[in-house]
Amino acid sequence: MESGSKKWGFQVKQGMKGASTPTVRGVLYMLMDSLNKEDSRAVIPLAHGDPSHFPSFTTAAVAEDAVINSLRSAKYNCYAPTIGLPAARRAVAEYLNHDLPYKLSPDDVYLTSGCHQAIETALAVLGRPGANILLPRPGYPYYEACASYNGLEIRHFDLLPDKGWAVDLNDIEALADDNTVAMVIINPGNPCGNVFSYEHLKKFAETARDLGILVIGDEAYDKLAFGSTPYVPMRVFGSTVPILTLGSISKRWIVPGWRIGWLVTNDPNGILRNSGIIESITKILEISSDPTTFVQAAIPEILENTKEDFFSKIICLLREAADICYTRVNEIPCITCPKKPEGSMAVMVKLNPSMLEDIDDDMEFCVKLAKEESVLILPGVVLGLKNWLRITFAVEPSCLEEGLARIKAFCQRHAKKH
């Protein structure tokens, strides 16, 4: 029988098409394929937030020793509980409690395989027919992919570049309706490099409370703030509105490959438990992969014993890199930076393609830049803003200087002749 005459019973899952829209990794791989293999210069990677490749961004020795000791103990070659080892959950709760006006218990903490699994779990719990979720634009496209996969309608609220990437709260009120289940805030900001003020976060929490929707607080870059705006975690406002906090050790400890994160229910008023969200989180994790057991076992030592001088060193490196990035970008006529970065590891800058020959938009700019200069940066269209660019500055300062110099030379070469 020919294959064309048989009706097969399988088909693609509804939502998979939307979930396959461009991702950071997908576009990064495409840009890497555009590199000129005959260019002998080193590739300058300014497209994604993984500084662990660079000598200056080595993790703390106490973190390495904790993992080694855990592995060599031979106590953690086993499966872990689906919600995480009790000692690790307790350590995360105590770590987060330092910033809170109320107290978390270990029962509020669920360990995940990095922040990605925390995102997946949160959106899987919230997905139901007809529901919608409010996501920031620009934002982190993994939210769009997971929302589509779980049948959530995506509605975007704008971050305003001329107001330091503040949330357009009026936009949120206009977008929300009776089917809105949650809204996401990323602080410190990815991809914008902003840090929201206490007052702004308070208004955000009050807006969510008034609309009757929970907040997903993405704190992947927790405490990586180095500007004039004091960092305040969204979880502080758990008494105002129920908050799902998503975090990990990936960024602050510079270990994204260790794949340890957490989903935390900041809900002192018991709203999430009464609504069944807590039970649903547990059930989702029962059918998910677990983070590696021996790395989980190292978490208490990592969180409790890492010295402040390690964190101070990373903050100083990021501050220096942000200064370099902001200064050098403003020397390039066709690119403008609306706000100096104050946190995270990246910044959004605006491209003016009308000043360039044979370059129509941000995607074409990034592809040709990779091919001609062996520099990788991310086109803003992937993050929701066409003709913007995301530059990651968490690299060696000399590497950043070289990369920005190549971008400037590229723009000069392609500048329109008057």
Side-chain angles (χ1 to χ4, degrees):
M1 179 184 294
E2 294 184 9
S3 60
S5 61
K6 171 73 175 176
K7 182 178 179 180
W8 298 96
F10 55 82
Q11 58 182 307
V12 70
K13 177 180 176 178
Q14 290 293 322
M16 283 300 293
K17 186 175 181 181
S20 64
T21 53
T23 63
V24 171
R25 288 184 180 180
V27 172
L28 178 59
Y29 295 148
M30 182 270 291
L31 293 174
M32 291 174 70
D33 287 340
S34 301
L35 292 167
N36 180 1
K37 305 301 187 290
E38 297 180 0
D39 190 341
S40 61
R41 295 175 297 176
V43 175
I44 307 291
L46 307 180
H48 71 305
D50 181 2
S52 64
H53 301 284
F54 298 95
S56 293
F57 289 91
T58 302
T59 194
V62 68
E64 295 174 336
D65 291 342
V67 171
I68 291 169
N69 293 338
S70 172
L71 179 61
R72 286 181 172 169
S73 75
K75 296 177 181 177
Y76 303 105
N77 297 327
C78 54
Y79 294 118
T82 56
I83 55 178
L85 291 175
R89 297 173 70 202
R90 185 180 307 110
V92 172
E94 292 173 356
Y95 169 73
L96 297 179
N97 277 337
H98 293 309
D99 302 306
L100 296 179
Y102 56 91
K103 294 300 179 185
L104 295 169
S105 79
D107 291 338
D108 299 316
V109 177
Y110 304 84
L111 294 189
T112 58
S113 181
C115 211
H116 267 198
Q117 191 188 21
I119 295 173
E120 294 165 7
T121 303
L123 271 60
V125 165
L126 295 170
R128 59 172 172 76
N132 65 75
I133 187 168
L134 308 186
L135 302 179
R137 180 173 53 206
Y140 186 52
Y142 199 66
Y143 282 99
E144 279 81 357
C146 289
S148 295
Y149 183 82
N150 287 289
L152 286 163
E153 178 194 347
I154 298 164
R155 299 181 181 181
H156 288 106
F157 60 88
D158 289 323
L159 305 181
L160 306 173
D162 58 341
K163 295 184 179 179
W165 299 107
V167 175
D168 188 339
L169 296 175
N170 293 329
D171 208 7
I172 286 177
E173 293 177 353
L175 289 168
D177 60 21
D178 291 341
N179 290 316
T180 304
V181 292
M183 55 189 187
V184 173
I185 191 160
I186 305 173
N187 187 45
N190 177 24
C192 302
N194 61 303
V195 175
F196 294 110
S197 69
Y198 177 93
E199 292 76 15
H200 195 60
L201 292 175
K202 184 172 183 287
K203 290 178 181 176
F204 190 87
E206 290 169 347
T207 299
R209 177 200 61 199
D210 294 345
L211 294 170
I213 57 181
L214 67 81
V215 171
I216 297 174
D218 186 321
E219 296 175 359
Y221 292 90
D222 188 40
K223 299 185 187 297
L224 292 182
F226 41 81
S228 59
T229 306
Y231 170 65
V232 178
M234 188 70 218
R235 59 184 181 266
V236 165
F237 301 96
S239 296
T240 303
V241 64
I243 295 171
L244 298 180
T245 294
L246 316 182
S248 77
I249 64 171
S250 297
K251 305 300 185 181
R252 196 179 187 210
W253 274 266
I254 322 292
V255 287
W258 291 11
R259 311 311 300 144
I260 288 288
W262 48 78
L263 186 157
V264 177
T265 55
N266 298 90
D267 183 36
N269 298 320
I271 298 168
L272 296 178
R273 184 169 300 280
N274 294 338
S275 66
I277 293 292
I278 303 297
E279 181 182 1
S280 295
I281 291 171
T282 302
K283 289 187 178 300
I284 289 290
L285 291 175
E286 286 174 353
I287 58 171
S288 302
S289 299
D290 307 326
T292 306
T293 307
F294 69 84
V295 183
Q296 288 190 50
I299 285 294
E301 187 175 346
I302 292 171
L303 296 185
E304 294 165 13
N305 296 334
T306 303
K307 302 299 183 184
E308 189 58 39
D309 59 354
F310 166 75
F311 299 126
S312 297
K313 180 192 116 177
I314 297 300
I315 290 296
C316 288
L317 283 168
L318 292 174
R319 183 184 293 114
E320 178 188 0
D323 289 344
I324 292 170
C325 190
Y326 184 71
T327 300
R328 295 292 179 255
V329 163
N330 284 329
E331 295 172 354
I332 304 172
C334 64
I335 301 176
T336 55
C337 183
K339 181 175 174 59
K340 185 176 181 179
E342 292 191 306
S344 77
M345 298 178 176
V347 64
M348 289 292 284
V349 299
K350 187 169 178 57
L351 174 69
N352 184 355
S354 68
M355 298 178 68
L356 302 171
E357 294 279 6
D358 62 26
I359 292 177
D360 293 329
D361 56 33
D362 55 317
M363 183 67 79
E364 189 173 13
F365 181 95
C366 292
V367 170
K368 290 186 175 180
L369 177 67
K371 185 177 298 184
E372 297 179 25
E373 294 290 348
S374 294
V375 176
L376 302 174
I377 61 175
L378 199 68
V381 68
V382 182
L383 310 167
L385 281 188
K386 185 175 181 179
N387 291 334
W388 286 74
L389 309 165
R390 191 190 78 170
I391 299 176
T392 299
F393 50 78
V395 299
E396 296 288 348
S398 59
C399 182
L400 181 61
E401 290 271 19
E402 171 67 18
L404 293 169
R406 291 191 203 175
I407 295 172
K408 183 176 181 180
F410 173 82
C411 291
Q412 289 172 337
R413 190 165 59 253
H414 286 271
K416 284 186 176 178
K417 308 297 188 288
H418 297 292

